[in-house]
Amino acid sequence: MARFFTTIALVAVLSLVVVINFSAVEERYQCEGSFANSFNGQVSPIYLKIHDYRWWVGLWSDSDAAVWLEVPNEITEYYGQVKEVGDKLQLYGHNSEFQGSFSNLSKALQVELPRFGRFSGACVLSRD
């Protein structure tokens, strides 16, 4: 009987390790584009980090991914509510408001950022 409980505990620990370490695939992008209402005429690249969740995360989460977006030395935005619709990731803000999208096919990003306005640009996979 002790062997049975030891086996169950070992399986539970191994399952937990797999869930913690392999539940998301991370991709990082550098996006070049422009703001509809650029701030002080400055245009800088935007950096994007995507944690694409594995199928089993859907057992406890409604989101298909998590996205971080950074304007260097300015802001970092987090989108915890992300829906995969076809080849696009739809980003939703804190009030479940649609904020933008990222195309997995063309790698195009369109997003509404506070203080900066709407950004549209093309992203390339970062080697960092």
Side-chain angles (χ1 to χ4, degrees):
M1 189 59 118
R3 175 175 263 175
F4 173 75
F5 288 118
T6 303
T7 303
I8 294 295
L10 183 61
V11 168
V13 168
L14 289 175
S15 298
L16 186 61
V17 167
V18 168
V19 166
I20 290 171
N21 290 320
F22 301 105
S23 287
V25 175
E26 181 178 295
E27 292 182 327
R28 293 172 182 246
Y29 294 91
Q30 180 176 338
C31 306
E32 299 285 343
S34 61
F35 291 94
N37 300 326
S38 62
F39 59 103
N40 298 331
Q42 297 174 342
V43 176
S44 64
I46 286 182
Y47 296 91
L48 187 69
K49 179 172 72 170
I50 301 171
H51 280 185
D52 191 14
Y53 296 149
R54 302 287 190 176
W55 65 267
W56 61 78
V57 176
L59 297 173
W60 62 82
S61 175
D62 291 335
S63 186
D64 296 322
V67 173
W68 291 262
L69 193 138
E70 177 185 350
V71 177
N73 300 318
E74 296 292 337
I75 63 166
T76 301
E77 288 291 314
Y78 170 72
Y79 302 96
Q81 186 62 34
V82 178
K83 287 290 175 198
E84 187 170 5
V85 180
D87 288 321
K88 287 199 174 192
L89 295 178
Q90 295 180 341
L91 312 176
Y92 294 88
H94 301 293
N95 298 330
S96 297
E97 254 181 64
F98 179 75
Q99 296 293 305
S101 65
F102 175 76
S103 172
N104 283 317
L105 187 59
S106 67
K107 306 303 183 204
L109 172 68
Q110 291 188 348
V111 65
E112 186 72 33
L113 294 172
R115 294 189 1 226
F116 299 104
R118 185 162 260 329
F119 175 85
S120 295
C123 303
V124 293
L125 198 57
S126 178
R127 302 275 186 241
D128 295 347

